[in-house]
Amino acid sequence: MVGQSRKVLFTRDRIAIEVKRLAEEISADYGDQEIMLVGVLKGSFLFIADLIREIKSPAVIDFVRLASYGSGTSTSGIIEFRKNLEMPIKDRHVIIVEDIIDSGYTLQSLYNKLLLQEPRSLKICTLIDKSARREVEINADYIGLSMDDGFIIGYGLDHDEKYRDLPDIYIVEEP
Ligand code: IMP
Ligand code: MG
């Protein structure tokens, strides 16, 4: 990230508070019914790991791998499915777990694909909502944190596959 600086946008403590709140909302909505969390790799790996440990309802987990970005910071709008689900979702209560919704293209294509497999219910949980950037009509049922424009890294989010390991979320600033 030559020539750029970064500033903390959401601390690990703030993230933990919001993850706990989301887990409480989800647990209250589903009660004793089993849910299936579908993590969108790679960005959601830390979020889903923290979330599933806070959810009280019985939960199983599976992953898909999607890619929309090259090495740039804006979407191509073309979504590539690199890994499909391993468990059937028919008649299950499914929650898609995303790191961030930006243009919305990624989630829209995943949502529509999963809907065809006839889940009992299908909801979306995102850690970050960048709603000002939305290009397609898709909204999350559970939202951790909201932000305006800007590119962020850390807590699973990458720039060119780097910085996923940072415990806090940073906004990348042009000099
Ligand atoms: P969308 O299809 O434009 O909504 O893009 C969503 C995907 O782009 C997310 O799952 C992220 O992987 C990636 N993305 C969007 N904004 C950011 C960001 O600020 N930092 C890192 N990755 C991002
Ligand atoms: Mg992602």
Side-chain angles (χ1 to χ4, degrees):
M1 217 172 291
V2 181
Q4 291 174 326
S5 63
R6 62 192 198 208
K7 212 168 73 185
V8 173
L9 183 64
F10 302 120
T11 63
R12 64 196 79 182
D13 293 346
R14 178 75 197 280
I15 295 167
I17 288 167
E18 302 307 333
V19 169
K20 209 161 184 230
R21 175 185 55 82
L22 288 172
E24 279 165 10
E25 287 177 25
I26 291 169
S27 307
D29 287 353
Y30 292 87
D32 293 334
Q33 302 181 93
E34 187 179 86
I35 49 187
M36 179 170 164
L37 300 182
V38 172
V40 184
L41 292 171
K42 302 176 192 172
S44 71
F45 80 108
L46 291 177
F47 175 42
I48 200 167
D50 287 341
L51 186 70
I52 198 166
R53 285 181 288 181
E54 295 286 347
I55 290 175
K56 304 278 187 300
S57 309
V60 297
I61 194 167
D62 202 353
F63 294 94
V64 291
R65 168 94 173 100
L66 305 176
S68 66
Y69 280 16
S71 53
T73 57
S74 63
T75 186
S76 61
I78 299 161
I79 314 302
E80 189 193 335
F81 284 82
R82 293 192 185 161
K83 181 203 173 301
N84 275 313
L85 287 171
E86 289 167 18
M87 290 156 68
I89 63 167
K90 191 169 160 53
D91 297 328
R92 285 178 179 276
H93 290 296
V94 175
I95 305 178
I96 299 171
V97 179
E98 241 306 21
D99 51 357
I100 186 165
I101 313 180
D102 187 11
S103 69
Y105 284 117
T106 305
L107 261 192
Q108 190 189 50
S109 76
L110 177 62
Y111 187 91
N112 291 336
K113 190 178 155 105
L114 295 190
L115 212 50
L116 293 175
Q117 298 173 35
E118 298 175 4
R120 184 147 164 218
S121 65
L122 183 59
K123 289 196 180 181
I124 295 170
C125 175
T126 189
L127 178 65
I128 314 271
D129 186 17
K130 248 194 227 180
S131 55
R133 301 245 315 171
R134 204 74 88 254
E135 290 174 29
V136 292
E137 178 71 27
I138 187 113
N139 291 306
D141 302 280
Y142 304 101
I143 298 170
L145 294 153
S146 298
M147 64 177 285
D148 297 325
D149 209 355
F151 196 79
I152 57 174
I153 52 169
Y155 193 69
L157 291 147
D158 74 306
H159 181 238
D160 248 347
E161 291 301 327
K162 293 192 285 280
Y163 315 111
R164 295 192 196 274
D165 53 326
L166 300 175
D168 306 287
I169 292 179
Y170 296 80
I171 189 143
V172 178
E173 297 179 321
E174 304 289 340

